[in-house]
């Protein structure tokens, strides 16, 4: 039987992967490609979640509301297992593991293991810390992750057909399209 977690048995600061504020948030569901800890940055590989090694990131893993285990000692080591559908926060506030001291409103970035720290000048920013925290503890980071400003990988799920093009735009014949199939105005 799963053990309910809630706020019981947590330290004063929120545990990793806990929703960190009452403001609106957006959580997607994705399959874990490997075992994934709570509160770490995620990326997508082969349509599955993996721990992100660098920014930009896809989302942050949130914890589930129960623990798989037989005693309360299992709570501390619980995590998402390979193949599970996991919660991936794309917008909102969540408690995350930090490796350096952070101040309230510091810009946040990630380490190669998906944990968080303050961003240094010139580093990509994934969000802002809304609470202060001590190194090797937790802090709440606020994010609004989009795919804007990122570079495409060229990977697609479905192959799109490309309409015929006429390289000579002054001499187009009827029925020939001058688009390349990449203009998707109106598609969401």
């Amino acid at each position: 039987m799963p053990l309910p977690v809630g706020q019981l048995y947590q330290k004063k600061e929120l545990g990793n992967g806990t929703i960190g504020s009452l403001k609106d948030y957006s959580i997607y569901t994705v399959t874990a490609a490997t075992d994934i800890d709570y509160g770490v940055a995620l990326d997508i590989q082969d349509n599955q979640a993996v721990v992100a090694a660098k920014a930009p990131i896809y989302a942050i893993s949130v914890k589930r509301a129960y623990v798989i285990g037989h005693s309360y000692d299992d709570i501390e080591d619980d995590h998402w297992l390979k193949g599970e559908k996991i919660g991936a926060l794309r917008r909102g506030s969540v408690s995350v593991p930090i490796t350096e001291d952070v101040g309230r409103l510091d810009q946040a970035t990630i380490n190669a293991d998906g944990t968080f720290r303050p961003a240094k000048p010139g580093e990509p920013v994934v969000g802002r810390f809304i609470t202060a925290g001590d190194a090797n503890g937790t802090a709440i980071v606020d994010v609004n992750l989009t795919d804007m400003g990122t570079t495409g990988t060229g990977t697609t799920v479905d192959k799109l057909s490309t309409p015929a093009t006429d390289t000579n735009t002054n001499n187009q014949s009827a029925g020939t399209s001058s688009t390349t199939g990449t203009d998707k105005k109106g598609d969401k």
Side-chain angles (χ1 to χ4, degrees):
M1 173 170 81
L3 302 170
V5 177
Q7 301 302 318
L8 195 58
Y9 309 107
Q10 287 190 24
K11 300 175 187 173
K12 181 182 171 210
E13 70 270 11
L14 295 174
N16 294 335
T18 304
I19 299 299
S21 74
L22 297 176
K23 73 177 237 175
D24 288 341
Y25 55 89
S26 178
I27 296 177
Y28 289 37
T29 303
V30 65
T31 302
T34 63
D35 287 4
I36 296 175
D37 288 331
Y38 300 142
V40 296
L42 300 174
D43 199 359
I44 299 295
Q45 260 180 14
D46 299 326
N47 294 322
Q48 294 186 333
V50 296
V51 175
K54 62 185 172 116
I57 65 174
Y58 169 71
I60 300 171
S61 64
V62 296
K63 72 177 187 176
R64 59 175 145 233
Y66 61 91
V67 173
I68 297 176
H70 300 290
S71 73
Y72 287 108
D73 294 334
D74 295 329
I75 292 173
E76 192 172 333
D77 295 325
D78 195 36
H79 59 278
W80 293 108
L81 303 173
K82 178 181 179 179
E84 279 189 287
K85 296 284 185 188
I86 71 172
L89 182 124
R90 300 248 315 149
R91 180 176 49 87
S93 302
V94 63
S95 184
V96 295
I98 55 174
T99 58
E100 297 176 21
D101 292 348
V102 302
R104 185 176 180 276
L105 301 181
D106 282 353
Q107 293 178 324
T109 193
I110 65 166
N111 297 305
D113 63 355
T115 57
F116 291 77
R117 64 178 171 77
K120 294 172 178 51
E123 289 185 315
V125 174
V126 298
R128 278 198 189 266
F129 292 105
I130 59 172
T131 62
D134 295 329
N136 302 315
T138 65
I140 297 173
V141 69
D142 188 67
V143 296
N144 187 5
L145 302 168
T146 67
D147 292 326
M148 300 297 293
T150 59
T151 304
T153 61
T155 307
T156 59
V157 177
D158 296 326
K159 266 213 175 281
L160 298 174
S161 62
T162 304
T165 60
D166 185 352
T167 56
N168 184 353
T169 57
N170 294 333
N171 230 350
Q172 288 187 5
S173 61
T176 304
S177 171
S178 63
T179 63
T180 62
T182 57
D183 186 4
K184 300 186 56 112
K185 291 179 185 168
D187 288 352
K188 299 278 180 198

